[in-house]
Amino acid sequence: MKNTIPILAVIAVLLFLQSGCARVGINPESGSASPVVRELVQTTLSWNGELLPGYPQGRPEVTILRISIPAGTRLETHSHPVINAGVLVKGELTVVTADGKTLHLKEGDPVCEVVNTWHYGINQGKIPAEIIVFYAGAVGMPITVAEPH
């Protein structure tokens, strides 16, 4: 049960932040408003096809970041030791793993990110890319690790 709480929180927030995902409609039978829910992702795999690892031991900690990546910017190579998922809310973003696998995201696309895999993002677009990312970690555990130089 304790392992499901972080992922349920992530899924709930993802659903409500996705544009048009949780909008109010009118139930024709009762005339009352009812939510409309559209599933974006349900998976046991990251975008590169690898199985997601188990949740870390310890007290669960959920972190939500809104990251803005200026046009033309390449992020440093890094990895995430915890499961994370996000939605690109503006612009475009390309993610490239150390072994050359590539994912192109456009506005509105969800992503279940790679875990324990070196990768970087690059905004090759003309406007800033903005992504909201949800990390399901544990207290005291980093969510991102920079590649050593």
Side-chain angles (χ1 to χ4, degrees), residues 105-120:
L105 297 168
K106 63 185 182 322
E107 188 172 309
D109 284 346
V111 60
C112 189
E113 183 63 283
V114 293
V115 180
N116 293 319
T117 300
W118 296 114
H119 65 284
Y120 64 89

Side-chain angles (χ1 to χ4, degrees), residues 17 30 63 67 72 117 121 134:
L17 287 177
S30 68
T63 303
I67 303 165
T117 300
F134 308 83

Side-chain angles (χ1 to χ4, degrees), residues 44-143:
T44 58
L45 305 173
S46 62
W47 67 262
N48 70 345
E50 298 290 323
L51 281 173
L52 293 172
Y55 290 107
Q57 295 298 312
R59 183 165 178 79
E61 181 176 66
V62 172
T63 303
I64 303 172
L65 302 178
R66 184 177 190 121
I67 303 165
S68 182
I69 304 161
T73 299
R74 180 196 185 279
L75 301 175
E76 66 182 59
T77 302
H78 61 279
S79 69
H80 305 286
V82 299
I83 293 174
N84 64 98
V87 176
L88 189 69
V89 295
K90 181 180 170 188
E92 59 185 80
L93 185 64
T94 300
V95 184
V96 182
T97 62
D99 63 359
K101 291 184 180 168
T102 303
L103 174 68
H104 300 285
L105 297 168
K106 63 185 182 322
E107 188 172 309
D109 284 346
V111 60
C112 189
E113 183 63 283
V114 293
V115 180
N116 293 319
T117 300
W118 296 114
H119 65 284
Y120 64 89
I122 185 167
N123 178 357
Q124 296 170 317
K126 296 181 181 186
I127 63 170
E130 290 188 19
I131 188 165
I132 298 176
V133 185
F134 308 83
Y135 300 85
V139 172
M141 182 176 206
I143 57 175

